[in-house]
Structure formats: structure tokens, C-alpha cells
Amino acid sequence: MPAPSSKRVRGVRVTRHFIIGNSAVNLPHPSYPDAPPNHNKGWKVYIRPLPNGPDISTWLKKVQFKLHYTYENASRTIEGPPFEVSETGYGEFGVEIRLYFPSDSGEKAQYREHYLVLSPYGPQEQQERQTRENFTVAERVESIEFNEPAQDFYRSLTSEDQYHWLMTKKGRGKGKKPEFVFEGDIDPSAQLPEKAGREAGSGAGAGGVWSKQYERQILAQLGESAKNLDGLIEQEKSIMEDRRKKMEELGREIDAKAG
């Protein structure tokens, strides 16, 4: 672990949420004009900030994406935003990801992995939309915790400058200095918003509905799925027990005939 350039802020923990995911389209597509003839998918894997979150480059220095070994130069290092890699291919695989932080932060690199999703998935309505739009997105929210960060690093993590990327330049009339204002319907925050904004109608895959409300919905769905799975397991156990009893009965019948 590199040594921090300043003392650490004791008793403080800073959490940063970010999006890890990929998008995919069917080829041919104008965004991937030079694809090999045997490639039928164009895709992009990425690390992105929350739509209303702080500038990701505040804490992320570079990202290394390790692709399937069959790709030329399979290990790709991106040293500034956007942290993404675009490629073409025909198969899905797991992308190893290594996150690097500023050298003066004293934080060691962290690992993540994302499984590349190239075909429509999910509920029928979602699959139909993805097919119709020729655009599949698979994303999830990840978190990183900086425990007792270095003082200089902590200042960058708490600076208001990290939200400037969300601001829009507005003119104030001739001879007046323009101002920068935030026009979104979700307040800038390093935390997940309580609810999604109005522009989040196209689903989480569009990068716009990550919220505590959406998180609770996913947890509820997972809980319901777990209950259904438990029921199926119990049903299978009952079937197996019936089979065991029948096998024992059959074995006794065979033994009786043999005797």
C-alpha cells in the first residue's frame, strides 16, 4: 500500500457509490464500423458515477480492464474519465476490473468483476424494448469505503468542486459574469437518492433510477425469489423422499421373491 502524503483523519469513513456495467448492440452498427466479419456484437464496459453523484475522478485515478485472453492487448488501462473500453465480439465473459486511487491517498487498488451481458435479458417487456431499440444495458451499483482517509484525500472527497460536472453554465446578461446552476430534479449527493428522478422511466439500465427506493424493491424481489426457491427445494425433497420409500419397497419385494 502506498504511503499517504498526509496524516489520516481518525474516526472517519467515507463511502462512494459508483456504477459498473456494460452496454451492447447488434452489428452492423455505426458506432462500430470496423468490426471483424465474424463479430456480431458491439459492446462497452465501464465505470461511471451516479447520475447525481460526485465527479468520479475525485477519488478514482485509473481503471484496468482485463478482457478475455483472445483479445489483442487484453489488459486495458484507462487513466482518466470516461473509464470505459469499447470492443466487438460474439461471446460473453467475465471482465476483471482493478480500481486505482490517487497515489497520495495511501489506498491500495481494489478489484471488481463484471460479467459481460450481450443479449436482451430480464422480464419480457424489458427484453422486447432492448430488442426494439437494439440496446442492451446491464448495470449494478457498487460501493467503496475509505476508512480514515488521508487528510488531503479527505478534502478532495468533501470538496464542493466534485459536483461542478453537474452544473450548467447560465448567462446573466451582457457584461455580467455567467453563473453555474444545477438543473436536475435529483439533488447532488454522494448518497443514493431516496427516489428516482422524473427522467428515470427507461429503467436502471439507462443509469437513471439508482435510488434507495429501487434498492428496497430489488431486495424485496430477491426475498420473494428466495421464498419461491425454498418452496421448490422442499417440494423436491418430498419427491426424493417418496422415491426413496418406493425404492425401499421395491427392494423388499425383490428380496421376498428371491427368498
Side-chain angles (χ1 to χ4, degrees):
M1 178 188 297
S5 61
S6 58
K7 294 182 179 180
R8 292 189 175 274
V9 183
R10 301 302 177 186
V12 172
R13 179 179 297 173
V14 179
T15 301
R16 282 292 176 266
H17 303 288
F18 62 97
I19 295 172
I20 177 172
N22 79 269
S23 61
V25 298
N26 292 323
L27 299 179
H29 192 279
S31 297
Y32 304 89
D34 301 319
N38 63 325
H39 286 189
N40 60 0
K41 299 286 185 179
W43 53 264
K44 182 181 297 182
V45 61
Y46 48 78
I47 302 290
R48 291 176 179 171
L50 294 178
N52 67 313
D55 184 356
I56 199 170
S57 62
T58 301
W59 54 269
L60 187 59
K61 179 67 174 179
K62 62 181 179 180
V63 179
Q64 182 183 63
F65 298 90
K66 190 173 182 181
L67 310 182
H68 195 268
Y69 71 91
T70 54
Y71 281 91
E72 184 178 357
N73 186 24
S75 182
R76 315 281 178 91
T77 300
I78 310 301
E79 299 190 359
F83 297 104
E84 60 186 36
V85 168
S86 294
E87 263 294 353
T88 62
Y90 51 82
E92 300 179 344
F93 57 89
V95 180
E96 297 179 21
I97 299 173
R98 190 171 186 177
L99 308 173
Y100 292 88
F101 311 109
S103 57
D104 59 358
S105 70
E107 302 288 340
K108 62 181 180 180
Q110 291 197 23
Y111 293 86
R112 296 293 189 273
E113 185 173 4
H114 177 72
Y115 192 80
L116 201 65
V117 178
L118 302 182
S119 300
Y121 67 98
Q124 185 66 30
E125 181 182 354
Q126 175 177 301
Q127 292 189 42
E128 291 175 354
R129 185 185 71 248
Q130 293 170 340
T131 300
R132 182 174 61 254
E133 297 176 354
N134 187 23
F135 192 66
T136 297
V137 175
E139 293 180 341
R140 71 179 189 274
V141 168
E142 286 272 358
S143 298
I144 281 182
E145 289 189 342
F146 300 107
N147 189 36
E148 297 188 341
Q151 290 179 347
D152 292 342
F153 189 44
Y154 178 72
R155 278 192 285 270
S156 67
L157 288 170
T158 55
S159 171
E160 288 297 320
D161 292 345
Q162 61 188 318
Y163 295 103
H164 282 181
W165 77 286
L166 297 170
M167 305 296 179
T168 301
K169 185 177 180 181
K170 289 288 186 179
R172 301 175 60 187
K174 187 176 181 180
K176 294 184 178 181
K177 185 178 180 179
E179 64 177 349
F180 290 85
V181 297
F182 176 71
E183 294 186 324
D185 61 325
I186 307 177
D187 292 334
S189 173
Q191 305 302 316
L192 287 173
E194 181 60 33
K195 294 184 178 181
R198 292 190 301 271
E199 298 177 357
S202 56
V209 302
W210 299 114
S211 65
K212 294 179 181 178
Q213 180 187 50
Y214 180 74
E215 188 178 55
R216 288 192 293 269
Q217 291 173 350
I218 293 297
L219 289 174
Q221 291 172 4
L222 290 174
E224 188 63 29
S225 296
K227 290 180 181 178
N228 293 336
L229 181 59
D230 289 341
L232 292 173
I233 291 175
E234 290 301 319
Q235 183 179 352
E236 187 63 26
K237 286 181 178 179
S238 178
I239 293 173
M240 289 178 65
E241 180 63 18
D242 289 341
R243 288 174 180 169
R244 185 187 65 81
K245 291 179 179 179
K246 289 180 180 179
M247 290 297 293
E248 288 180 351
E249 183 179 349
L250 180 60
R252 287 193 294 268
E253 291 177 357
I254 293 175
D255 290 341
K257 291 179 179 180

